[in-house]
Amino acid sequence: MNQTKYIFVTGGVTSSLGKGIIAASLAKLLQARGYRTTIQKFDPYLNVDPGTLNPYEHGECYVTDDGAETDLDLGHYERFLNVPTSQANNVTTGRVYLSVIEKERRGEFLGKTVQVVPHITNEIKERMQLLGRNGEFDIVITEIGGTVGDIESLPYIESVRQLVWELGENNSLVVHLTLIPYLAAAGELKTKPTQHSVKTLMESGIKADILVCRTEHELSDELRQKLALFCNVKREAVIQSIDASTIYEVPNMMLQEGLDRVALKKLDLPEKNTPDLKNWNIFLQKLKNPKHSVNVGLIGKYVELQDSYKSIIEAFIHAGATNETKVNIVSIQSEFLDANNAQAKLKDLDGILVAPGFGERGIEGKIETVRYARENNIPFLGICLGMQMAVIEFSRNVLGLKDANSTEMNEGTANPVIDLMEEQKTITDKGGTMRLGAWKCDLKDGSLANKIYNASSIMERHRHRYEYNNDYQESLQNAGLISSGINPDTGLVEIIEIDSHPFFVGVQYHPEYKSTVANPHPLFVSFVSAMVTHKNK
Ligand code: GLN
C-alpha cells in the first residue's frame, strides 16, 4: 500500500467524552484487521509539553521511550496498541508556535509577514503528516484535543480542513465525537447539541463523516435516522458509544457498531479479515471474572484526581487480570498520614504503593508509610519519589541517620541520601530537562528483580532529577537494602530491594508507562501476586 490514510477525531458539546479511548479503540480494530496504525494527539495549549503542568491541571504526564513528556492519552494508545509512541505523537500549540518563531528568527520566512494562516497551519499540517511519511503506517489517526468551537482549536480545525482537501477523495475522514444528553424529566435523549456541534464544524468547512455519540441510553433506530438526516452523515455512520464498565470493553462495542467497517469503506480500504481480538478477549474475560481480590494503598499527594496516576491504575488492571484478581485501589492522601494514624489508615491493605511526585508536600507521610510496609512485611512498591522515600526511611530508621533526606526537600541536610544528579546541577530551565525516557538497567544475579523480569538487563522509562546517592551504597547494602538494578554507564542505582522482606521493591523509573494489555508489566504482575499471597496468609 502506498498512500497513508488519515483519520481525524474531533470532539463537540463537552470535553471529557473520551476521544482518546474512541481513537485508541478504532486504532485497535484497524490494527486487528492487519493495518499498521498509529495515533497522535494535538493539544491546543501553549505549554511546549505537559511536563511543566501540575497533575491537577491535566492529569498524569506520560513519558515515551524517546523521552517525550506527553499527554496521558498516549498512554491509552500504547496500552491498546502495544506499539511505542514517540515525541512525534504529541504536539502542542506551544511547540508549533515555538518552532515557527524559531524559523522566523533564523530568517526562513525573510521578507514575509508571519501569520497563523498559512505559517502556523502549515507547521501543523507538516506535523500531522510526519508519522505517515516514511511508509511505516497504513493509517494515522489524529486526535484533536479540546472541543470544536474553542478559540484555541481554530488553527487545528483549519489545518484539518486544508488537509482533507489536499489529500483528496477517500484518503481521509473525520470522526466527530459528541454527547447525546438524557433529560430525565422529559425521559428523552436529545440530539440538538450534536446538531449544533456538527454545524459549528461545518462553518469551519469540515463535514463530519462519522458521528460517535456518547450516551447513557441506547439510541433508537428513529433517533439514529434523525441524527443522520440532520447531521448529514450516512445512517450507518451514526455510531453509539454507550457508557461501559471498563474502557477495555470499548473496542468490542465499536466493532459491534461497525465503526471500523464504516471507516474502511470511506477510506476505500478492504475490510481484510474480521479483527483478531482473541488475546484481547481473554484479557477481558479474566478482568471480568476475578477469583481473588486485594486492596492496594496508593499513597500520593494528587490522589483527589484519578487521572494523576492513570498509568499506575491501568497497570494494576492489566496485572490484576493476569492474576485473575480484582485490585481495589485505596487512594490515601500522604499529606494527612503520620506515625499516629498510619496503623489505622493502612491496616486493611494487602499491599502498598508509594507514588511518584515532586516537592515537599506529603513526603513525611510517604516515609511513614514505607516504615509501616517494611516493618509489617506488607508487599511494597515504591516508584520514583516512592523509591527515594524508601531509601530515606531505611537510612533514618535502620541506619540511624535521623536527618537523612533528599536535597529536593532539604538542601542543607547533613545526610543527602538522595541528591541532585550530577548533570542536573548546572540546569536552570524547568521544561524538558529532567532525566527522561528509556535507560538501560542491569539486574543483579539472583535478586528479586532478576527473577521478576527473568532477564539480566532491561530498559525502563525515567522522569526525575534526583537520584540515590552512591556515597551511602555500602552502608545501605550492608544493612540489607540491596541495589539490585544499576545503570551500566553511570552506576546510578535504579532498583532497591530488601532480601528478608516478602516483597519490598523500589524503582527509580516508571514501570507503569510500559504496561499494556498485551504485555502487563512483570513488576506489577509480581506485586499483585505477592499481595494475594500476603492476604491468604
Ligand atoms: N521529585 C523526584 C525527582 O525529581 C522524583 C520524581 C518522580 O517521582 N517522577 O527525582
Side-chain angles (χ1 to χ4, degrees), residues 61-90:
C61 172
Y62 187 74
V63 179
T64 59
D65 279 332
D66 67 347
E69 296 178 284
T70 76
D71 185 78
L72 58 78
D73 272 344
L74 272 76
H76 290 311
Y77 307 163
E78 289 202 12
R79 289 187 280 271
F80 275 57
L81 297 183
N82 199 37
V83 175
T85 55
S86 70
Q87 181 68 72
N89 294 75
N90 193 195

Side-chain angles (χ1 to χ4, degrees), residues 235-409:
R235 164 66 184 75
E236 63 188 23
V238 177
I239 305 289
Q240 157 183 300
S241 170
I242 202 157
D243 291 355
S245 59
T246 151
I247 54 170
Y248 299 106
E249 198 73 83
V250 181
N252 280 316
M253 287 165 45
M254 291 303 106
L255 178 65
Q256 218 160 31
E257 286 285 308
L259 174 61
D260 55 330
R261 279 190 293 118
V262 182
L264 288 172
K265 196 160 151 195
K266 167 73 176 111
L267 295 174
D268 199 20
L269 291 172
E271 285 186 15
K272 296 195 189 174
N273 50 302
T274 42
D276 176 8
L277 293 174
K278 192 164 147 264
N279 290 334
W280 185 273
N281 288 330
I282 293 174
F283 157 78
L284 264 182
Q285 201 53 32
K286 285 189 181 173
L287 179 65
K288 290 203 207 149
N289 301 290
K291 299 201 172 96
H292 323 271
S293 100
V294 291
N295 295 328
V296 64
L298 172 60
I299 314 325
K301 68 167 176 170
Y302 308 112
V303 288
E304 298 82 359
L305 184 72
Q306 273 258 328
D307 276 358
S308 306
Y309 302 112
K310 195 78 203 163
S311 294
I312 291 176
I313 293 171
E314 299 303 323
F316 275 126
I317 292 176
H318 310 152
T322 307
N323 283 287
E324 296 179 85
T325 299
K326 169 137 185 38
V327 181
N328 303 306
I329 298 187
V330 183
S331 297
I332 299 176
Q333 172 56 260
S334 53
E335 210 182 343
F336 308 125
L337 234 156
D338 56 39
N340 297 325
N341 63 20
Q343 162 79 22
K345 288 199 175 183
L346 307 173
K347 68 177 187 341
D348 295 328
L349 302 175
D350 306 305
I352 287 176
L353 186 144
V354 175
F358 295 83
E360 218 182 331
R361 181 167 69 91
I363 71 137
E364 291 302 326
K366 287 185 171 175
I367 294 171
E368 201 43 48
T369 305
V370 179
R371 187 189 60 76
Y372 182 87
R374 184 178 56 78
E375 291 181 350
N376 294 288
N377 285 328
I378 317 279
F380 168 83
L381 179 60
I383 298 182
C384 207
L385 184 70
M387 174 264 205
Q388 298 175 354
M389 294 304 112
V391 174
I392 295 172
E393 191 279 326
F394 199 90
S395 306
R396 286 186 188 176
N397 300 327
V398 180
L399 286 187
L401 306 172
K402 288 292 167 223
D403 52 0
N405 213 333
S406 162
T407 49
E408 179 180 6
M409 318 306 166

